[in-house]
Amino acid sequence: MIIISDLLSTIKVIIYYQLFVFISASFFLPLKNKTNKIFYFILTYYTITELITVVLKIVITDDDYRLNINYKNYELSFIITFLLWFFLLEHNGVSKKLMRFVYLFFLSFVVIDFLAIQKDHDLKTYIFCMGSFLYLITFFIFSFNKLKNEDFKFLFNNDFRLLSAPILMFFGLSLIFSFVNSEIGEIKIISTYNLYSIITNYINFVSYSIFIWYIYIEYRNHKQVITEE
């Protein structure tokens, strides 16, 4: 019981919600179509990343060693999850030519960041910033093309809702990570709440709420298909 109590006390509020979204997806998200499978892989990796962080805080007492492992854990998560988000864009209609450039540019930047730009930094935050930048630019190009072609039906469907869901999360965290050497995250915004806690808890809450909305609609549509059959 003591271990369980310690474990729960280390978890940030948003992680409870992330876990709830993952469990909801595990039970209610239909995995017959490829978009849902990719999305579920993303949720799975987000959940694994956070759970590793929590477990490390319990089992490793050496702060420096634990932080070093944790940094590697998050860096790997940045790389894998952004590649999955890019793949989701490609699967939903972004041109393969554009996405090949995005993949190549992102992976090249990852290598350069490790070897030159942030080689002396503990956490390679610029990987997240670059992934966010590439996703946002690609998403807006894709959306503009849909508008130009008057494909309004896609702009109001559930797949587009999913693609737009992480935008606020990517933008908010990039504001923090782009100032890697400053204390911008500790700036007090409201009473005892600093900028970092507001972004990680409240802004991420919005993105995960859209994930829940997407899961609900997919589940509802799937049940309707089964009923009609």
Side-chain angles (χ1 to χ4, degrees), residues 88-144:
L88 200 57
L89 284 171
E90 180 180 356
H91 179 67
N92 279 276
V94 178
S95 72
K96 294 184 181 297
K97 183 178 180 179
L98 174 59
M99 291 313 303
R100 279 197 295 268
F101 170 79
V102 170
Y103 292 133
L104 180 61
F105 190 92
F106 178 68
L107 291 174
S108 298
F109 180 84
V110 169
V111 174
I112 294 170
D113 194 37
F114 270 97
L115 297 179
I117 302 175
Q118 288 187 300
K119 64 177 182 178
D120 297 324
H121 289 268
D122 294 322
L123 180 63
K124 310 299 185 287
T125 54
Y126 289 168
I127 293 174
F128 186 93
C129 296
M130 180 55 70
S132 298
F133 175 75
L134 290 172
Y135 186 90
L136 294 175
I137 291 298
T138 307
F139 174 81
F140 286 122
I141 292 173
F142 177 58
S143 301
F144 178 77

Side-chain angles (χ1 to χ4, degrees), residues 17-76:
Y17 195 47
Q18 290 175 348
L19 188 59
F20 169 73
V21 173
F22 171 70
I23 292 172
S24 299
S26 298
F27 282 98
F28 300 111
L29 183 65
L31 296 178
K32 287 187 177 181
N33 70 68
K34 197 168 185 179
T35 293
N36 288 351
K37 288 179 181 178
I38 299 169
F39 174 52
Y40 187 70
F41 287 150
I42 293 171
L43 286 180
T44 300
Y45 209 90
Y46 280 157
T47 304
I48 290 173
T49 301
E50 295 298 344
L51 289 178
I52 289 174
T53 301
V54 173
V55 172
L56 287 176
K57 192 167 185 178
I58 297 298
V59 300
I60 299 179
T61 56
D62 187 327
D63 290 342
D64 291 336
Y65 181 62
R66 183 182 69 248
L67 282 175
N68 186 52
I69 296 177
N70 226 1
Y71 290 148
K72 302 308 176 189
N73 174 38
Y74 274 103
E75 288 162 0
L76 184 61

Side-chain angles (χ1 to χ4, degrees), residues 142-201:
F142 177 58
S143 301
F144 178 77
N145 287 335
K146 288 292 184 181
L147 283 172
K148 188 173 67 173
N149 296 328
E150 298 184 355
D151 188 0
F152 302 115
K153 183 178 179 180
F154 180 81
L155 296 176
F156 288 98
N157 75 11
N158 208 29
D159 288 341
F160 186 78
R161 184 175 295 112
L162 175 61
L163 295 176
S164 63
I167 287 177
L168 192 59
M169 178 172 63
F170 290 164
F171 180 74
L173 287 175
S174 292
L175 289 179
I176 297 294
F177 288 153
S178 60
F179 297 97
V180 65
N181 291 321
S182 73
E183 297 180 354
I184 190 172
E186 299 301 319
I187 295 175
K188 300 296 182 183
I189 304 297
I190 303 174
S191 183
T192 59
Y193 294 95
N194 59 34
L195 182 61
Y196 179 78
S197 64
I198 289 175
I199 288 176
T200 56
N201 286 323

